[in-house]
Structure formats: C-alpha cells, structure tokens
Amino acid sequence: MLETNLWLFLAAAVVIAAVPGPGIFYVAARTLSAGRASGFASTAGTALGGLVHVVAGSLGISAIILASAELFAAVKFIGALYLLWLGVKTFRGAGRALTLESEGVGDKRAFRDGVLVEALNPKTAAFFLAFIPQFLDPSASHPALQSIVLGTISVTMNTLADVVVVLMASATRRHLTGRPHLMRRLTQGSGVFIAGLGLSLALARRPVNG
C-alpha cells in the first residue's frame, strides 16, 4: 500500500469517526438508558459487527447483497425491526433501568444487540464498499488483505469515538441518578430514539450503483 494512500486514509477515517452517525447515537442511547457498562458492551458489539462488514466486503459478500434488491431489502428490514424491538423494549423497561444496572445484568445482551444492529445494517456495508476501495493500491498484491487492514483501522477509529461518547453519556446519566422521574423520561427518550434509528433504516434506499 502506498504511504500517501495510508496517510490520506487515516486522515479521512479520523474525520469520519468524529462526525456523529447512527452508531454514535445508538451507543449514546444505550448508555443513557442502561449505564456505562451497557454502553461499553454495545460499543464492543458494534465494533464486532463492523468487522463483519469489513470481512464481508473483502470477500465480495456485501457487493452481492447490495446488488440484489431482494437481499438488500431483507437485511434492511430485519435490522430495522430489530432496532424497533430494542427501542420498544427500552421504552417499556424505563422504570426498571436503574435496578437492572445495579444488578449487573444485561451486558452480554447489550453486546449481542450491538453486534446484530451493526451487522444487519446494509448502509454500513455500502459505506465500506464506497470508502475503502478509494485508498487501495491497485499495483500491490492481495487487495482483499489491504481492504481488511484499512477496514479494521476504520472500525477502530469509530470504536474510539464511541468510547468517548459512552463516557460523556455516562457522566450525563450519573448527574440524573438521584432524580428517578427524569431518569425514567431519559430512558424512555432513548427507547424512542433507538426506534427512530430503526425507522430511518427501514426507509433507506439501496445505492443506485449497488
């Protein structure tokens, strides 16, 4: 890989990671609703889900999904329904959020949810397919390996940004723990926001060149 391409990629990856997107909003909502541990678990899950797209893109699986209207719609609606279900569940469980956090349960579930939410988002697949190839060195061997390396770097940058967001959201939540009414409203709002991400995904269109 050309050194110039690598530095350009790193600069672009940092900028993209710093721009708030669905992933950042998702882990923020999970942190606000269930606490820092749940936020970190969700972050680890979305990171693994992102790596799924990196590998799938390198192997050509993502291109197949994006090229098929039926496959794209199936993955999109499964992901959207999952987000909607998580949003409704978070909203309905608002009164139990503090109890669940104090009992230390749900972190494994938050990790699993993060993996599924990110892995079932075809918009992430479309992003990697559009972004990564611009920085590959066509004269070098093993383009799939180049793609995996760059994709992993991008996922790492995004994850670091998510960690910062979790810490900020956790601090906000900590200031409200002595106010049960506000905490309940905050958790309900997080549930509505997660469901909103599901609706946004459901309305996403397949890329024209997919």
Side-chain angles (χ1 to χ4, degrees), residues 110-189:
F111 173 77
R112 179 203 65 192
D113 290 343
V115 174
L116 292 176
V117 164
E118 188 70 10
L120 292 174
N121 189 348
K123 292 167 67 177
T124 303
F127 167 76
F128 278 118
L129 286 180
F131 179 61
I132 300 296
Q134 301 179 54
F135 301 93
L136 298 180
D137 181 5
S139 64
S141 58
H142 307 297
L145 181 58
Q146 288 186 63
S147 180
I148 290 175
V149 170
L150 293 182
T152 301
I153 292 173
S154 181
V155 170
T156 301
M157 296 291 188
N158 293 338
T159 302
L160 290 175
D162 289 347
V163 167
V164 173
V165 169
V166 169
L167 293 174
M168 294 173 62
S170 176
T172 300
R173 188 178 193 274
R174 193 161 51 245
H175 287 301
L176 300 176
T177 51
R179 304 176 181 180
H181 178 71
L182 288 177
M183 274 304 309
R184 184 164 56 252
R185 294 301 183 191
L186 180 64
T187 304
Q188 289 174 339

Side-chain angles (χ1 to χ4, degrees), residues 13-25:
V14 169
V15 171
I16 290 172
V19 175
I24 283 180
F25 290 131

